[in-house]
Amino acid sequence: EPEVTQTPSHQVTQMGQEVILRCVPISNHLYFYWYRQILGQKVEFLVSFYNNEISEKSEIFDDQFSVERPDGSNFTLKIRSTKLEDSAMYFCASGLDRANSPLHFGNGTRLTVT
Amino acid sequence: DAKTTQPNSMESNEEEPVHLPCNHSTISGTDYIHWYRQLPSQGPEYVIHGLTSNVNNRMASLAIAEDRKSSTLILHRATLRDAAVYYCILRAYNNDMRFGAGTRLTVKP
């Protein structure tokens, strides 16, 4: 069964550094998402992406964040200048339809900012 | 966003059925009812979804009230592997999916 894959599984970075989290969504999916989960807290929506542009973003997704689908297969989340509070699990997801189909999630990237 | 209300936690015995309730009294006519679960140290996993009619799949059944203001996720025979946080989420075409706190299900051997 096709799955969403995320790399790396764990990323450690210093405060102020840029990080890029990578995702390969399921190949025929059209909608792409990033979520994050701070340890012990709920899963939070960051951004959705469709037709090569952002569809919706949350208040968390400020100017420090950006997303890109550079080559038709990868979907990336960039954090320009990481802060300690960016430490979290970041989940990528993809889906065929916006409401009437499942979202398929990757197993996440654990980002640790020191 | 239409909100859902779920119990914080529930317990079940292994190999017994589990009924996980969800209230969504402000649901709109075009909102789909989705259920996901998150096993420890994993990403969320799709379980089932529906609009108006009851739905069955290999993982679970979804019973939707006639007025659509509540729904119940039914696990027919809980196993230890079903211990997870279960999320009931409303999805509309004009909004993306947001997670609440969910119900933490504990399965006792």
Side-chain angles (χ1 to χ4, degrees):
Chain A
E1 187 174 320
E3 58 183 26
V4 174
T5 55
Q6 291 186 244
T7 55
S9 57
H10 191 187
Q11 172 106 34
V12 182
T13 189
Q14 289 192 323
M15 198 166 52
Q17 295 296 303
E18 174 184 286
V19 292
I20 298 176
L21 308 183
R22 301 180 193 280
C23 169
V24 179
I26 294 173
S27 62
N28 62 335
H29 284 184
L30 302 175
Y31 293 84
F32 312 106
Y33 306 82
W34 284 100
Y35 289 82
R36 79 170 187 192
Q37 187 172 33
I38 294 169
L39 187 64
Q41 298 187 24
K42 69 177 187 178
V43 179
E44 299 174 293
F45 169 79
L46 292 178
V47 67
S48 60
F49 192 86
Y50 169 72
N51 202 24
N52 281 321
E53 60 183 26
I54 290 174
S55 304
E56 192 173 346
K57 58 184 180 179
S58 71
E59 57 281 358
I60 301 168
F61 194 89
D62 61 22
D63 291 344
Q64 292 299 310
F65 291 88
S66 62
V67 288
E68 198 176 34
R69 189 157 159 77
D71 57 11
S73 62
N74 292 284
F75 181 50
T76 62
L77 174 70
K78 183 193 291 186
I79 309 175
R80 285 191 185 80
S81 177
T82 50
K83 308 189 216 23
L84 294 176
E85 53 265 38
D86 293 327
S87 296
M89 282 291 288
Y90 288 80
F91 295 108
C92 173
S94 68
L96 265 175
D97 183 276
R98 200 164 182 189
N100 188 21
S101 68
L103 276 196
H104 295 258
F105 286 81
N107 278 330
T109 292
R110 179 174 299 285
L111 177 65
T112 302
V113 182
T114 62
Chain B
D1 287 346
K3 299 280 188 255
T4 63
T5 305
Q6 299 178 253
N8 291 332
S9 62
M10 289 185 65
E11 279 191 357
S12 168
N13 293 318
E14 199 177 6
E15 298 190 7
E16 290 186 358
V18 183
H19 290 232
L20 296 161
C22 181
N23 287 320
H24 29 78
S25 58
T26 59
I27 191 171
S28 76
T30 53
D31 287 342
Y32 284 83
I33 302 161
H34 281 246
W35 283 82
Y36 287 76
R37 71 181 185 180
Q38 189 175 22
L39 280 65
S41 303
Q42 293 190 27
E45 175 187 29
Y46 168 78
V47 177
I48 200 165
H49 79 285
L51 184 62
T52 56
S53 305
N54 294 344
V55 186
N56 299 298
N57 66 20
R58 62 177 178 81
M59 286 181 74
S61 296
L62 176 59
I64 300 173
E66 202 168 324
D67 63 6
R68 300 209 327 128
K69 293 186 177 182
S70 65
S71 61
T72 302
L73 178 70
I74 302 164
L75 306 179
H76 295 287
R77 257 174 99 244
T79 68
L80 296 178
R81 200 195 166 275
D82 291 321
V85 180
Y86 286 79
Y87 301 97
C88 168
I89 303 170
L90 301 182
R91 290 188 71 188
Y93 271 100
N94 58 340
N95 288 108
D96 288 302
M97 194 167 79
R98 258 78 165 174
F99 287 79
T103 296
R104 182 173 298 279
L105 175 67
T106 303
V107 180
K108 296 184 287 185

